[in-house]
């Protein structure tokens, strides 16, 4: 007979002309069931989260959201449904920090916008939540080594090959 714990997990639903349906946890499909097998789950393997895939997924989410309301540590943590401290610990274990990843995402976004030459430097600064374009220009120069206008000129003269 099935233990009370397993009975509670089953749900009999009202059926149609085909009869009744039974719902159960999908992981039960992996159980080896035989004539004398007890319906007891094997211990789950220890979780070994793939840090590289987490980091790349986090970077994609951050890149998509960096121009939507500013990039802060709390907002970055919300993107991956973690607290700020959980995200900080996770990123530290992967050899990076929240602030570094935010700066990297902002810089990549600014470089793409500047190379596209479709928006003014003031518009790009506003997109990245800089209220003053001169603050954006100082940050960009400190981070990339070139002023926004010099970066734009340089990207326009490079071969797209």
């Amino acid at each position: 007979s099935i233990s009370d714990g397993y009975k509670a997990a089953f749900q009999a639903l009202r059926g149609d002309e085909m009869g009744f349906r039974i719902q159960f946890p999908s992981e039960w499909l992996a159980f080896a069931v035989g004539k004398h097998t007890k319906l007891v789950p094997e211990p789950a393997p220890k979780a070994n989260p793939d840090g590289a895939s987490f980091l790349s997924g986090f970077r994609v989410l951050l890149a998509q959201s960096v121009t939507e309301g500013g990039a802060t540590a709390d907002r970055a943590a919300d993107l991956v449904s973690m607290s700020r401290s959980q995200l900080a610990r996770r990123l530290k274990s992967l050899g990076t920090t929240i602030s570094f990843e935010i700066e990297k995402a902002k810089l990549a976004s600014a470089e793409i916008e500047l190379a596209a030459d479709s928006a003014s430097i003031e518009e790009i600064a506003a997109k990245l939540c800089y209220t003053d374009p001169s603050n954006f220009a100082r940050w960009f120069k400190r981070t990339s080594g070139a002023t926004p206008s010099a970066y734009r000129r340089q990207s326009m003269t490079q071969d797209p090959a």
Side-chain angles (χ1 to χ4, degrees):
S1 98
I2 299 175
S3 73
D4 290 340
Y6 288 103
K7 281 184 185 176
F10 279 97
Q11 291 181 338
L13 302 176
R14 188 174 302 268
D16 52 14
E17 64 274 354
M18 298 295 289
F20 287 91
R21 296 179 300 165
I22 297 176
Q23 286 187 323
F24 56 91
S26 61
E27 58 268 7
W28 288 8
L29 294 173
F31 292 151
V33 180
K35 188 175 179 182
H36 301 289
T37 305
K38 286 179 91 177
L39 200 56
V40 177
E42 294 180 21
K46 290 195 175 184
N48 187 6
D50 184 10
S53 66
F54 171 81
L55 191 55
S56 63
F58 173 68
R59 286 175 174 160
V60 167
L61 290 171
L62 196 56
Q64 291 171 348
S65 71
V66 75
T67 58
E68 300 169 4
T72 65
D74 289 329
R75 187 165 162 78
D78 287 344
L79 290 172
V80 288
S81 301
M82 293 181 164
S83 71
R84 184 178 176 171
S85 58
Q86 286 173 318
L87 178 61
R89 281 192 302 272
R90 182 74 182 268
L91 291 176
K92 184 178 180 182
S93 75
L94 298 171
T96 188
T97 64
I98 297 173
S99 59
F100 177 79
E101 294 300 325
I102 290 172
E103 290 292 303
K104 189 174 167 181
K106 283 172 48 177
L107 181 62
S109 179
E111 287 175 341
I112 290 168
E113 291 284 335
L114 289 167
D117 196 29
S118 59
S120 70
I121 292 172
E122 290 78 15
E123 290 170 329
I124 296 169
K127 246 185 189 179
L128 294 173
C129 297
Y130 284 92
T131 56
D132 184 3
S134 61
N135 288 340
F136 166 73
R138 276 193 299 277
W139 167 81
F140 189 85
K141 183 170 182 169
R142 185 182 70 245
T143 309
S144 72
T147 64
S149 45
Y151 183 87
R152 177 171 272 169
R153 279 192 305 275
Q154 180 185 1
S155 66
M156 299 303 271
T157 59
Q158 288 179 344
D159 274 342

